[in-house]
Amino acid sequence: MNDDDLRLLLLIRHFETALLDLFAQGLLSGTTHTCLGQEPVPVALRPLLHPDDFVFSNHRGHGHYLARFGDPAGLLAEIMGREGAVCGGVGGSQHLKRGRYLSTGVQGESLPVAAGTALHLAHHEPGRLACVHIGDGTWGEGAVYEALNMAALWRLPLLVAVEHNGIAQSTPTAAQLAGTIAARADAFGAAYLYVPADDVTDMRDLLDKPLTRVRDGGGPLVVEFATRRLGPHSKGDDPRSTVEVDQLRAADWHTRYAATLGPRFTDLDAEQRDRIAAVVRDVTGRAPVRERR
Amino acid sequence: MTAHRRVGDALNAALGTLLAEDPALYLLGEDIADPYGGAFGITRGLSTRFPRQVITTPISEAGIVGVANGLALAGDKAIVEMMFADFVALAFDQIVNFAAKSTTMYGHPVPMPVVVRCPTGGNRGYGPTHSQSPQKHFIGVPGLDVYELSPLHDPVALLRELLGSGRPSLLFEDKTLYAAPLRPDDLFRVTHHGFTAHVRVDDDIPADDYLIVAPGGLTGRATVAMRSLLLRYELSGRLLVPARLHPLDLDPLLEAATSTSRVVVVEDGPPGAAWGTEVAYRLQRALWGTSSGPVRLCQAADGVIPTAAHLEREVLVQAETIVRAVLEAHR
């Protein structure tokens, strides 16, 4: 774990924590979905993705955005509808587009779209890929299977990053998913990889070669990241018991690194907490974003 | 255009022209590859001429419109063929929630040059799930344009307009048009004001007895009705066919409507929050206080489209339905 990776993990953690605080203070309207606990996924992928790769994010996408752009102020301004908002305040938390990064709020919808961009890449920019983040709950959507079928059939450079956090909004995976994600990928002849989302260096070691294969025309890859959702689905809607959530917290990277990395962790944790606090002060002091035409 | 006898041939040639002039254009759809060339043969020959650009797909309407959306995001353009317009319901999310919203929901304009071609309508005996005219479900969606093919509009110019607008669009194509002649009736003269076609008898004969407003798929039936109205009832009027159903350019319609007191808006779909209702409302509002009479609607019956020919005829708008509607306006 190098300092930059730890910084990014902590940046995302403190950004999400700050959002929940702002909600609690009544300073945010609407809704948001934090990725607390899932930060290692975008942090591990960051150096493995190229700026010309497409990234499709979902409703739980702040970590994906921050890993790609390192721009907490633009994102917070977007969520708060303040000047400097990256999408003019129209998109908000779950509808972001910046270059080849895009998120949208309908489950499964972005998978065929990502396949379309992968088709373009296969024809015109070989070596590039489209990465689409989905959850375990997204496998309930038919669009996922239509897209996987075409991606496998046409050997498209598509990376399906499944963040399996064990819960779809309020429904445990066991109550909504029959069989396994591995078997579903296998049914389409798509490559499959299981990656525990704990240590970003270990994760990259597992991902490196399979991703090269995707870039070299080997067809789609489904990566099942085993991860944890520490927070509620959105703001205060978590039906899980405190015992269950406490168990997840005990296994969380933040708890582990705090116990094992000593002052290096304490210093970087304070640094990123302060950085986000400064961003919150800056953005909350800004004027409402004006309509762009 | 005049080199082609039938609307379907002209559309096939237009797709070929566009694929040849723009290597970034893709054509996607089920069973569109040769030798089959699509359920109605509209794409015949194209996969042979443009193997990279013309892609036959699995039976996945939502998926293939999604792929088209992805191509558009990456800077390409895409035309998708729905095998039957009824099936576009399966792609509603990709069209309405993704393509249309993406043009504006990211705070800056995102061009989405995607055209979804939808073979609509009945009179072919295909029954309830293969005959519908579902235009109204896509009217009034911010960011989405709705067009309809006609024998009066050059398909090359039309498709260029759709692909060049930066907005996603649906192109509804009445299946009976594919085998229809390009000029429905030599009795009438056709002129164009922008993308609105005007049909009437020669200028030296007055044409103020009525105005019919109809989408392109009804052109043939409307001109048969006009011929009958002229020869049997000595009523001479005009037909206006806007290529773009939504957003609608009201001005050419209004100009013609002010010269008659009998306006009939015709469409081949059922009543209830329909395109015709919207057009009639807008015309009526603009004509309020003038001498023009009430704007009338002539729509299909409120029911599914039966398979048996005699039952199907009763549900859908026929030439004689339009004749009756115009005569009723004259009572």
Side-chain angles (χ1 to χ4, degrees):
Chain A
M1 169 69 61
N2 64 44
D3 282 0
D4 283 346
D5 286 337
L6 189 52
R7 275 199 180 90
L8 186 52
L9 284 169
L10 290 163
L11 175 78
I12 301 170
R13 174 62 53 101
H14 289 299
F15 184 89
E16 299 290 57
T17 307
L19 280 189
L20 292 178
D21 287 347
L22 287 166
F23 264 111
Q25 295 170 49
L27 293 172
L28 289 190
S29 64
T31 191
T32 197
H33 309 89
T34 65
C35 66
L36 293 164
Q38 301 178 204
E39 299 92 340
V41 174
V43 176
L45 284 170
R46 189 188 57 83
L48 300 174
L49 296 176
H50 187 275
D52 290 337
D53 290 339
F54 279 89
V55 171
F56 289 85
S57 178
N58 56 4
H59 61 297
R60 208 173 296 291
H62 304 155
H64 309 146
Y65 178 86
L66 294 172
R68 186 146 170 121
F69 299 111
D71 172 33
L75 179 56
L76 185 60
E78 180 61 35
I79 293 167
M80 298 192 78
R82 302 301 172 96
E83 275 184 3
V86 67
C87 291
V90 183
S93 168
Q94 55 185 336
H95 314 97
L96 301 170
K97 185 178 187 306
R98 183 168 168 181
R100 288 185 162 186
Y101 176 97
L102 180 144
S103 67
T104 186
V106 179
Q107 286 298 305
E109 186 185 71
S110 59
L111 225 131
V113 179
T117 59
L119 178 62
H120 169 89
L121 296 174
H123 284 178
H124 301 291
E125 301 174 53
R128 302 294 174 229
L129 60 75
C131 167
V132 55
H133 291 269
I134 65 172
D136 44 296
T138 318
W139 291 85
E141 296 287 1
V144 171
Y145 305 92
E146 296 191 4
L148 266 184
N149 183 48
M150 287 185 280
L153 195 63
W154 302 335
R155 297 182 80 75
L156 300 180
L158 181 71
L159 167 64
V160 184
V162 187
E163 301 186 35
H164 188 163
N165 59 18
I167 185 163
Q169 188 147 341
S170 74
T171 307
T173 304
Q176 63 88 10
L177 188 86
T180 64
I181 292 168
R184 292 177 187 213
D186 189 52
F188 292 97
Y192 168 86
L193 184 67
Y194 180 84
V195 176
D198 293 318
D199 181 88
V200 297
T201 311
D202 294 346
M203 292 166 74
R204 286 178 196 143
D205 289 344
L206 290 170
L207 287 162
D208 190 36
K209 281 206 179 79
L211 276 185
T212 304
R213 193 181 150 275
V214 174
R215 295 185 187 283
D216 290 347
L221 168 68
V222 176
V223 179
E224 182 177 358
F225 291 103
T227 187
R228 305 168 192 87
R229 194 189 85 196
L230 301 182
H233 165 69
S234 51
K235 293 170 293 180
D237 52 346
D238 197 337
R240 298 173 297 187
S241 69
T242 47
V243 176
E244 189 182 344
V245 176
D246 285 348
Q247 282 171 355
L248 296 174
R249 281 194 182 281
D252 176 44
W253 60 268
H254 193 272
T255 311
R256 282 188 290 114
Y257 293 150
T260 56
L261 297 182
R264 183 162 80 95
F265 178 86
T266 317
D267 291 351
L268 290 176
D269 194 37
E271 173 195 296
Q272 294 304 311
R273 183 185 296 113
D274 293 348
R275 181 182 174 193
I276 290 298
V279 166
V280 169
R281 278 194 303 275
D282 167 18
V283 172
T284 50
R286 295 183 189 178
V289 64
R290 299 240 290 269
E291 197 175 356
R292 279 195 292 188
R293 287 288 176 191
Chain B
M1 183 173 171
T2 45
H4 305 287
R5 204 165 42 87
R6 302 180 317 138
V7 174
D9 297 333
L11 183 56
N12 171 270
L15 291 169
T17 300
L18 289 159
L19 286 162
E21 73 187 14
D22 188 354
L25 176 64
Y26 285 82
L27 178 60
L28 305 160
E30 298 157 8
D31 300 291
I32 65 169
D34 291 331
Y36 195 71
F40 295 97
I42 300 303
T43 60
R44 199 161 288 154
L46 298 176
S47 69
T48 305
R49 287 172 63 198
F50 310 99
R52 178 184 61 81
Q53 293 162 265
V54 179
I55 301 176
T56 196
T57 71
I59 304 172
S60 305
E61 286 80 8
I64 58 184
V65 176
V67 168
N69 286 339
L71 287 167
L73 280 180
D76 295 322
K77 297 171 185 160
I79 298 174
V80 179
E81 176 174 301
M82 287 289 132
M83 189 179 284
F84 286 85
D86 310 64
F87 308 163
V88 76
L90 292 157
F92 196 79
D93 176 60
Q94 284 291 343
I95 293 168
V96 172
N97 280 325
F98 194 88
K101 288 180 186 173
S102 289
T103 59
T104 56
M105 80 170 173
Y106 296 110
H108 55 274
V110 176
M112 290 297 290
V114 173
V115 176
V116 182
R117 296 182 37 237
C118 302
T120 60
N123 294 306
R124 297 277 298 247
Y126 294 154
T129 65
H130 288 59
S131 306
Q132 203 183 338
S133 292
Q135 287 88 328
K136 70 175 178 182
H137 301 298
F138 298 92
I139 301 288
V141 177
L144 183 66
D145 293 341
V146 179
Y147 288 80
E148 186 155 328
L149 187 72
S150 92
L152 310 174
H153 293 91
D154 172 15
V156 174
L158 189 66
L159 285 168
R160 276 200 194 115
E161 168 81 9
L162 269 62
L163 288 166
S165 75
R167 288 153 59 100
S169 58
L170 293 136
L171 177 61
F172 289 100
E173 305 170 0
D174 193 294
K175 306 169 188 91
T176 58
L177 282 183
Y178 294 146
L182 284 166
R183 278 288 309 276
D185 191 332
D186 288 337
L187 182 61
F188 301 104
R189 194 171 66 85
V190 180
T191 55
H192 291 86
H193 296 223
F195 271 97
T196 302
H198 290 224
V199 182
R200 55 170 292 176
V201 287
D202 278 340
D203 276 342
D204 49 354
I205 303 174
D208 298 334
D209 291 328
Y210 62 85
L211 168 68
I212 296 170
V213 178
L218 280 151
T219 308
R221 281 166 275 172
T223 48
V224 169
M226 289 170 80
R227 170 178 278 270
S228 171
L229 286 163
L230 184 65
L231 302 183
R232 284 168 59 196
Y233 302 96
E234 294 185 337
L235 294 172
S236 171
R238 306 169 205 222
L239 164 67
L240 261 58
V241 179
R244 192 175 68 197
L245 302 184
H246 189 87
L248 183 72
D249 181 8
L250 198 67
D251 289 346
L253 274 54
L254 205 51
E255 204 183 314
T258 48
S259 65
T260 180
S261 58
R262 298 164 195 98
V263 181
V264 179
V265 182
V266 189
E267 67 183 326
D268 212 10
W275 174 77
T277 319
E278 166 76 9
V279 176
Y281 162 73
R282 291 187 59 195
L283 280 174
Q284 191 71 71
R285 207 182 123 163
L287 293 169
W288 197 259
T290 72
S291 59
S292 294
V295 177
R296 285 154 206 276
L297 276 172
C298 175
Q299 298 169 307
D302 185 6
V304 299
I305 299 160
T307 307
H310 65 290
L311 300 176
E312 184 185 37
R313 278 189 65 79
E314 287 171 15
V315 168
L316 297 175
V317 170
Q318 309 298 341
E320 53 269 36
T321 330
I322 301 171
V323 170
R324 274 201 306 276
V326 172
L327 292 177
E328 274 167 27
H330 275 263
R331 279 204 196 117

